[in-house]
Every structure is written in structure tokens, then in C-alpha cells.
Amino acid sequence: MPQVRHSSNMGLVQGDLMTRFNIILFSVLTFLLACSPTRPQLKGKTELEKLNHFYEWSYNQWLDRSPEDLTYYGIDRKQNQLNDRTEQYRDESLAMLEEHYKILKTFDRDELSKSDKLNYDVFKAHLVKNISDLKWDDNIYVVNQMFGDQTEIADLMMNLHKVKTTKDLENYIARLNQFKSTLGEVVTQSMRSESKGIVPPKFVFPMVISDSRNIITGQPFDKSKKDSPLYDDFKKKINSLKLNKDLKEKYIERAKEALVNSVKPGYEQLIAFLVEQEKRATKDDGVWKFPNGKEFYKARLKRMTTTNLTPEEIHKTGLENVKRIHQEMNEIRKKVGFKGDLQAFFQHMKTNQRFFYPNTQAGKKKYLNKAKNLIATMRSSLDRFFITKPKAPIEVRAVEAYREKSAGLAFYQSPSMDGSRPGAYYVNLVNMKAVPTWEAEALAYHEGIPGHHMQLSIALEMTDQPIFRRTSHYTAYIEGWGLYSEKFPKEYGFYKDPYADFGRLSMELTRACRLVVDTGIHWKKWTREQAIAYLDKNLPSDHGDNVRQINRYIVMPAQATAYMTGMLKILDLRGRAIKALGQKFDIRKFHEVILKSGSIPLDLLENQVDDYIREEQGDISH
């Protein structure tokens, strides 16, 4: 899972007043929409040249509003700033995007070539997606155990903020000095959401509070012998530079002051608020509890799957695929000679110690080495399946101690655009029972190669494409490819160990179960306990991991439905291509179409594959 906020209840108003208000609002909006937007000064003589400049101008305006995204992509601008999280800034961002959407509509799409139409469509989708996200912003939990500024700004500093010069050190300290105001804005955001009926469920708070306290535990916040995470990180980074002792000590002292005077009070303010808000939280877990919960969930499904599938359709697809995968697992159970039924086989796979490394440093190192070897083996076979391969290297890392208790099982972090930071596959080794060896192969393929690392690195390396095509993020495409990357190697001789093949099916089964429990929680009003029980019954995974998974689906509504939806679409498109092309079908060319399109909505991906089929058939008139 690659690593991303956030309508309101207007209260009870008498019907006639609301009707009059709506008439006035409609009249104002009609007038505003009738006004032609003013184009900026765009470079170029032709409309196409101006359109291409508009993409660059608009996207850079959007990107510049997030210094943290600039850091993520390795763009050396505003590296002494954190994001502005105020409501005013958000509303300004929304107004800007809506204006850019109007400007885009002044260009005539019908006059564009096929490739330029794709750029137009992807950019339009980018604007629509971000406008929708901002309009629903208050419905996204500001802090939760999966994401939120309580860990993300610390992660930014430790894993993304590079230090190669003294200017980078200055920027680091400048950002530390903004933690107090930034975390104050997080509290204000949370209060605003609560005023609109949006409060995280009760189970979230102990984890978020614990993660926050971990950041300010250790030197210079207390008298313990161990340095706090940020202090330790700053020391490591400054020690990587060749500085004289006096200068180094001055920088360390300035960092210490920023930690004590900004980071500490910022976290203390956030923790104090969360301790009080926890008392007001409930155990209702689905977003159906929000004032506009049904509309929000349907909007999230559309956003995450890039389809018009209904909650009921998604739930049904999940049930059908759970049944199918259980049948395939039974075939493996028989193949390995296990005598009990599938539930007994699940219990065997969960409890037999041969399938787990010990919960020690040596055991964790052994798992990381296994993951590295699996990725290296797959990398050596890429020519069989791909035309374009990523240039960026990949590292396998354990999730850091300060966030491992709440972080997900595994995730991927993209490399920087400038090549200075490799891609990274993170695996959470806090509980070795949650990472059985039989899932290691599929997990490495999903997060590493041929999954997210190939997909996202290749996109970033498409220097002939505008920046928005290289950095766009559509969950159904990205996670659909990740799940497809687990599955297709089976067809080409991988997963020689039947237990590893069981692990592949186990992970596919998890994604099918997600369709059931996500819609169950947020649409059918399932309780958290009901959803956990469903996973316990239908998955071979550890109970603690099932709890962690359900906790994730609760705070990230609809996100988990994107995986299976995306993979099924890619498989459907591949089947369509095989049927149409027969002997002319080439898996390398098919994968090139999927990956060189970059991250795009599934309907646009379908158009790309249909064009590829026509071209391979010799019909290039389209």
C-alpha cells in the first residue's frame, strides 16, 4: 500500500427558509458559472502549446501549496516549510482548483490527438478528484492510527527530509520550529470536524496518543539515556556531513531548542486534546453515523474504485470471490495431504511454528533477507514480462519502532524524482505471527517487484510526460496492479512451494473479504466485532492481524475496496486482449500499456487497452 484529508451538518432549518436559500444559492452559482474564466498568461503559439503550459502552470500551483509533497517528490522548493493546515488555506485551494477546472474547459478536447486527449482526460480527473477530496475534507478523520500529522510530519523529517548541506540543516530546524503551530492547527481541524459530528471511534485514541507520546520520549525531552526519534535522526544526519566540531555542536543545540520549545509543546497540546476527545468518542465505527454518511461513503467508493459500482454490488462481488478462493485453497489443502477441513487447515497454517520466524532481532533480519532475495530473483526475470524496467533501486526496511504498533502490515514509499532516494518496501515486524513465511513471496511481489516499485518508479521516470502524469495517484489502478502483481507470476512458474501459493491465495482472499467487511461496516452497519469475526472465520491470518485490518478499514472507508476492483478490471482487460489477439497477444506489450499509462482511472485504462488491441489488429485509423 503506497502512502494521503477530509460535509457538514447544517443543522435543522425550516423547509421554506431552506428552499429560499437554495433558490438564491442556485442563482448565484448560475451567474458565477456563466462568467468566463480568465486564462493566465500561457506560453505557446498554438492551443496545444498553451494547454501543455496550462497543465504545468496549474499542477505546480497545486504542488507548491504542499511543501511536504515537494519533499516527497524530491523537488527542492520550500524545504523550510510545513503545510498550511488552516481552513482558510483549504478553502483557497478549493477555489483555485475550481477556477482551474473552468480554464481547462476553455480548451477544445475534440481538436486534440489521441495521446493529448489522454493527458486532457487525466488532468480533468486530477482536478475532479482533488475538488471532491477538499469538499469532503471534514469527513476524513484528522488523526487516526493509519495516518495523520501526529506521525506523518515526524516521518517526513526522518525518512524524507534529506540533509546534504548546511542549508538542509537550516531547513530541518526551521521545520522543527513549526511543529507547535502545525500541531495546533491539527487540534483546530479536529475541533472543526467534531462540531460537524465527525469524531474517530473510541479504539483509535490509545494508539494515536501512544504514537504521539513516542515522538517526545527520550532526550532532550526527558532524562532517559536514549535519544528521542527526531533528536536521534538529526544527530545521524549532521554526522553524515563534514563539519567542524564547534559548528556541529551549534546546530545540535539549535535543534535541541526547537525540539524542546516547539515539538514538545505541540505534541503536548495535541495529546491533551485527544485525551479529552476520547471521553466523547463512541463505539459506532461506520461512517453511516455521520450526518451525511451515506452520501459520503458512496462518494468515497467512486473516488477509490473510479467506478460507479454500488455498495451492494461490491459486497456481492466480495462474497462470490471469497467462495471461489476458498475452493482454490481446498485444492492446495488436498495437494499437501492435509486431512482436516479448510478451517482446520487455516488453524494449522496459523499455528505451525515452521511457518514463522522467531520474534527476535535475528528472526526479523531473516525475514528481511528473505524479502530481499525474493525481489532479487523476480528482478532477474523481468525481461520475460516487461519492456520498460525501473531505474530506481529498492530497499527493504522494517517499520520503525516509534510507529510499528499502529502502522499497517506493509507499504511502499516511492523514490524521489531526482534519484537521490530509493524506493522502499516497509514491512511491519512488530508481531512476527502476522508475517508468516508463506505470505512473504506474494507480499514482496506486491510491494516491491513487479508491484508498486515497478509501477510507481516507471511513472516517475516518464520524463516525456507532464509532471501530473508522473505523480498521479488512483488507488484502484495502483492497488489493482499490486494485487495483479501477486497473481500473474503464478501463471509463469513462480510459487513453486504450494504453501507459498496458499499464501498468494490468502492475500487475494483478504482483498475479497475487504469488499465484504468494508461495505458491511460503512453501509450495512456491521459492528467492529462483527467484522473481526468475519475475518476470523474466513481468513487464515492471525486474530491480532485481523483486528488491525478492521481498524484500518474503519478509519479509511472504501480504500480497501480498490484492490480487488482494480485487479479484476486488469484481468478483464487482459482477457479481452487475449481473446481479440490470440497468438498475437504479448504479455510484455500488455504490461507496457498498463504501466506506461501511469496511474489513471479505470475507465481511461480501459480506453488505452482498447486502443492497444486495435493497433495490434492493424486498425490504426481510430
Side-chain angles (χ1 to χ4, degrees), residues 9 197 199 282 302 338 450 474 516 529 573 587 602:
N9 181 12
V199 178
T282 71
K302 186 176 181 66
F338 187 83
Y474 291 90
V516 179
E529 291 70 27
L573 295 175
I587 191 68
L602 296 182

Side-chain angles (χ1 to χ4, degrees), residues 251-292:
Y251 274 118
I252 290 174
E253 188 58 35
R254 286 175 58 195
K256 186 188 296 186
E257 289 175 4
L259 289 165
V260 171
N261 297 325
S262 174
V263 175
K264 183 180 181 181
Y267 275 103
E268 287 176 337
Q269 179 186 5
L270 177 61
I271 290 166
F273 169 78
L274 293 172
V275 167
E276 289 303 310
Q277 190 177 50
E278 181 179 11
K279 299 173 185 176
R280 304 188 292 272
T282 71
K283 292 185 177 181
D284 291 335
D285 298 303
V287 298
W288 54 263
K289 69 179 180 178
F290 295 173
N292 47 12

Side-chain angles (χ1 to χ4, degrees), residues 326 329 342-343 345-351 356 409 431 433-436 438-439 502-503 505-507 509-511 513-514 531-550 553:
H326 278 169
M329 286 178 150
L342 188 59
Q343 284 296 325
F345 191 46
F346 282 179
Q347 191 64 23
H348 169 70
M349 298 300 291
K350 285 192 287 188
T351 57
F356 300 91
L409 177 65
N431 173 19
K433 293 287 287 182
V435 283
W438 38 264
E439 280 189 348
F502 175 86
L505 286 171
S506 170
M507 290 180 61
L509 179 61
T510 298
R511 283 34 172 266
C513 286
R514 286 175 177 178
I532 293 168
Y534 181 86
L535 295 192
D536 283 344
K537 179 182 178 181
N538 288 286
L539 289 176
S541 47
D542 176 69
H543 171 75
D545 186 50
N546 291 338
V547 172
R548 185 193 294 262
Q549 290 287 329
I550 294 301
Y553 309 151

